[in-house]
Amino acid sequence: EIEGELALVFEQVLFTLSEQVFAHCKTRASLMLLDPARLGGIAAADDGAAQALGRNWYAPLLAERTLVLLGRPIDLAAQLTVRMGAMLRSSVDIAISRFESKELLAVVELQAALRACRLTHVLLREGLPDLDEFEEVLAEANEAVGFLSFSSRILDKATRDAIDDLLPNCAYRQDAVLFDRPPPT
């Protein structure tokens, strides 16, 4: 009975810990990508941002490989790696889903979100070296994992928007090297 209760408590602690570590790394990655001129004002106004920019408080915890609870060794690194991998996949999937739900101009937002996810992966990889490669995570979320996969969610959305909206409604301006909507008549 005690072992069952301990397993339940450990599961809750692991769940909360993995959420906090992932949120910390993602916040830290996002702040690292911001313009340094704007970063000072954000850090002064938000305690969470200031803490994320400071010392990485989770590094000693991620350095722990195993725990012993009631005489049983538990591979903490493996447990956290599985959870962080799932959270990273979910984050990439959400970024792609947001892009799919908006128009083609959201590709800039997608690029920023994927850069933040990639940097989050780098930060997580420092403490959890067994985490899957980011390219694998992106390919899986983008549904481009087949051997001869020539399509993906991002490519399908961009192609569909280019054919349905960009080409019929815009004119290409060679002098400015961009597509421009003609003025309404």
Side-chain angles (χ1 to χ4, degrees):
E1 184 177 321
I2 293 174
E3 285 184 18
E5 289 294 324
L6 180 66
L8 184 62
V9 169
F10 181 71
E11 190 68 29
Q12 281 300 118
V13 167
L14 196 60
F15 175 78
T16 304
L17 176 68
S18 59
E19 279 190 341
Q20 288 178 356
V21 169
F22 187 79
H24 173 77
C25 288
K26 188 149 186 184
T27 302
R28 189 178 183 98
S30 299
L31 290 172
M32 289 169 72
L33 293 173
L34 282 179
D35 180 27
R38 293 179 50 191
L39 195 56
I42 292 172
D46 186 7
D47 291 336
Q51 185 181 15
L53 282 174
R55 183 173 168 225
N56 185 358
W57 296 100
Y58 296 106
L61 181 65
L62 294 178
E64 282 296 319
R65 304 318 284 168
T66 58
L67 292 176
V68 178
L69 295 175
L70 293 179
R72 292 183 7 212
I74 297 173
D75 190 356
L76 180 65
Q79 296 278 337
L80 285 174
T81 299
V82 169
R83 290 175 185 273
M84 294 300 158
M87 289 180 179
L88 190 63
R89 281 177 176 76
S90 173
S91 185
V92 171
D93 186 54
I94 288 170
I96 294 172
S97 295
R98 285 180 56 111
F99 171 66
E100 289 175 325
S101 69
K102 296 182 178 182
E103 59 185 27
L104 190 57
L105 293 175
V107 72
V108 176
E109 180 184 334
L110 174 68
Q111 181 184 17
L114 290 179
R115 279 196 352 238
C117 287
R118 184 179 304 272
L119 190 51
T120 301
H121 178 267
V122 168
L123 294 173
L124 287 171
R125 201 66 199 255
E126 291 173 2
L128 302 169
D130 295 334
L131 202 60
D132 291 339
E133 293 293 328
F134 184 77
E135 286 73 25
E136 293 174 17
V137 173
L138 178 61
E140 185 179 315
N142 198 21
E143 297 175 3
V145 291
F147 178 67
L148 293 174
S149 179
F150 297 112
S151 78
S152 65
R153 291 169 58 190
I154 296 172
L155 181 63
D156 289 345
K157 167 66 174 164
T159 305
R160 190 172 48 251
D161 278 4
I163 291 171
D164 294 345
D165 184 40
L166 185 70
L167 296 177
N169 299 322
C170 297
Y172 184 71
R173 289 183 38 201
Q174 182 68 29
D175 60 335
V177 190
L178 58 84
F179 282 94
D180 196 15
R181 290 192 188 275
T185 56

